[in-house]
Amino acid sequence: ELLAPLWSELKPSSQIALGICANLRGQATIEQIRIAGELDEGEASVAVKDLLSVGLLRTVRATDRPNVFICASAVRRFVNAQTPVRRRAEFTSRLAAHYTGYFSRHWEDAHTATHHLNGLRMTIANLREEGRDPELQQLFGNTLDLFFTLGRFADRIELGGLAYDSAIRSGDHRAASLACSVISSTHAIRGEMDAAREALALGLVAAERSGSAAEKARQMRDTGFIRYRSREAEQALSAVEGAEELALADGDLNNRVDIIGVQM
């Protein structure tokens, strides 16, 4: 009753901007609103100003990154209910396509990623919720190293879990192996060895089912890394023996570099 009159009086561009903010779990930047809504910079800025003026958004300012615009949880629930599922899917599609394209070309641009961490996390979560598994795997694969570089280990584990569930749902065992590798290696870095071994066990099964030499090499690398982090250096070297050749034979150079890293 409180929000319906305000919503009906908003301009279409303001409804789009608020819908994008709600779709990203209640927070978005101007750039994310512009990309997801196919708005130019002026339209996005005017829409946000209108929403601020009626109290539907508030601003969180930061000195080293773009301002973030936040809507309350009650507003988010109301707006999501008012926004057609098709339109919400369009918001997700545009952000996913933008992030996948950008980070496939600039896959070490951690500086830009710091401005989009919530957008990346929520886009992957929305793809999972919408059942769009190929898009999810592509975006996850292009950004997983950025979360490592930024030390966002909890995010890596959470997003790895979403990617694993998505891969199993779609029968993509290679993607399941990669997701398990992200989870197991991150737990190992944090010293959570039991959790690392649990993820490794799932990864070994996924790699076997994939029939991929590269994925077998990846899991050998993870076995060695967990051994190394468990202070078992000799066993670690034995575990990765022959893994580099498997990765190279399958043309997976990134995997090969990770294997050499464990050996070093």
Side-chain angles (χ1 to χ4, degrees):
E1 291 177 1
L2 289 170
L3 294 173
L6 276 175
W7 176 257
S8 64
E9 293 173 3
L10 291 176
K11 299 174 184 175
S13 59
S14 297
Q15 289 185 347
I16 288 171
L18 192 57
I20 292 163
C21 187
N23 201 47
L24 292 176
R25 305 299 192 275
Q27 56 179 288
T29 64
I30 284 284
E31 186 177 7
Q32 289 161 352
I33 290 169
R34 181 183 59 76
I35 293 165
E38 287 189 328
L39 303 171
D40 63 38
E41 195 166 340
E43 289 175 313
S45 296
V46 170
V48 166
K49 287 178 182 176
D50 288 345
L51 294 168
L52 289 168
S53 69
V54 294
L56 291 175
L57 288 182
R58 64 182 179 88
T59 310
V60 175
R61 301 186 184 278
T63 56
D64 59 343
R65 62 190 62 188
N67 292 338
V68 175
F69 301 97
I70 295 177
C71 63
S73 58
V75 173
R76 174 168 60 85
R77 289 193 297 271
F78 172 84
V79 173
N80 280 337
Q82 298 299 312
T83 305
V85 172
R86 176 185 55 78
R87 174 169 281 186
R88 292 177 61 187
E90 289 173 353
F91 297 157
T92 301
S93 290
R94 291 167 189 152
L95 280 174
H98 172 78
Y99 287 143
T100 299
Y102 182 84
F103 289 112
S104 67
R105 299 187 302 273
H106 310 281
W107 51 276
E108 289 190 328
D109 187 358
H111 176 73
T112 295
T114 60
H115 303 162
H116 291 275
L117 286 172
N118 179 69
L120 287 166
R121 290 172 56 249
M122 292 304 103
T123 299
I124 291 173
N126 287 339
L127 289 171
R128 169 71 179 89
E129 187 177 314
E130 294 169 15
R132 296 157 65 178
D133 301 308
E135 292 169 85
L136 186 155
Q137 298 302 337
Q138 193 173 17
L139 179 55
F140 176 71
N142 284 346
T143 57
L144 59 89
D145 284 343
L146 293 167
F147 285 94
F148 177 82
T149 301
L150 295 169
R152 305 284 295 205
F153 297 146
D155 286 337
R156 268 174 65 91
I157 291 169
E158 179 185 352
L159 297 176
L162 293 179
Y164 176 76
D165 291 344
S166 167
I168 293 300
R169 177 174 64 187
S170 61
D172 187 345
H173 298 297
R174 292 191 68 151
S177 172
L178 174 61
C180 288
S181 175
V182 170
I183 297 168
S184 66
S185 62
T186 308
H187 278 303
I189 289 168
R190 300 206 307 186
E192 300 160 352
M193 306 316 296
D194 288 342
R197 293 186 187 98
E198 290 175 8
L200 174 64
L202 294 175
L204 289 167
V205 172
E208 182 67 27
R209 289 180 176 174
S210 75
S212 163
E215 292 312 316
K216 181 178 179 181
R218 190 188 309 282
Q219 297 306 322
M220 291 169 69
R221 178 263 179 194
D222 292 335
T223 301
F225 186 63
I226 290 170
R227 290 280 196 179
Y228 169 69
R229 294 291 292 180
S230 301
R231 301 184 181 185
E232 300 170 356
E234 290 184 12
Q235 296 93 324
L237 281 172
S238 297
V240 299
E241 188 175 351
E244 183 188 348
E245 290 75 15
L246 284 174
L248 183 60
D250 215 3
D252 192 338
L253 298 182
N254 284 340
N255 196 1
R256 184 190 183 198
V257 168
D258 289 341
I259 293 162
I260 294 171
V262 171
Q263 291 172 323
M264 291 173 65

